[in-house]
Amino acid sequence: MTENDALREEIYRLAAAAEADPETTLNLKSLAVQLWAIFDEFTVDDLEDILRDEWRARGLLFNDNAEI
């Protein structure tokens, strides 16, 4: 499994959790920082963009103005 595959699986897992409990996953910046701790070859901003795209594709709510 490549890093990109592992990242994609983790994002799908987080998105599934967001579907089950949207309140806990509104802050994409915080989720991006958590992912960066594992997938540090990406920037936090890149990870946040990836999360934002996935959340939008699934119709999930997120707070675009959240701080860490």
Side-chain angles (χ1 to χ4, degrees):
M1 176 182 297
T2 68
E3 279 290 303
N4 284 339
D5 292 339
L7 174 60
R8 182 59 46 199
E9 282 187 20
E10 186 61 18
I11 288 172
Y12 286 157
R13 186 191 68 73
L14 290 170
E19 289 176 330
D21 185 12
E23 293 285 321
T24 63
T25 55
L26 288 174
N27 186 340
L28 296 186
K29 177 70 81 179
S30 177
L31 292 176
V33 169
Q34 291 173 35
L35 286 173
W36 179 76
I38 302 166
F39 303 100
D40 63 355
E41 71 274 10
F42 298 92
T43 68
V44 171
D45 289 338
D46 289 341
L47 292 166
E48 189 176 7
D49 288 344
I50 294 167
L51 288 167
R52 190 178 294 111
D53 290 345
E54 184 65 28
W55 262 234
R56 282 189 181 123
R58 291 182 183 229
L60 298 169
L61 298 175
F62 58 90
N63 182 351
D64 227 5
N65 299 314
E67 307 255 340
I68 297 175

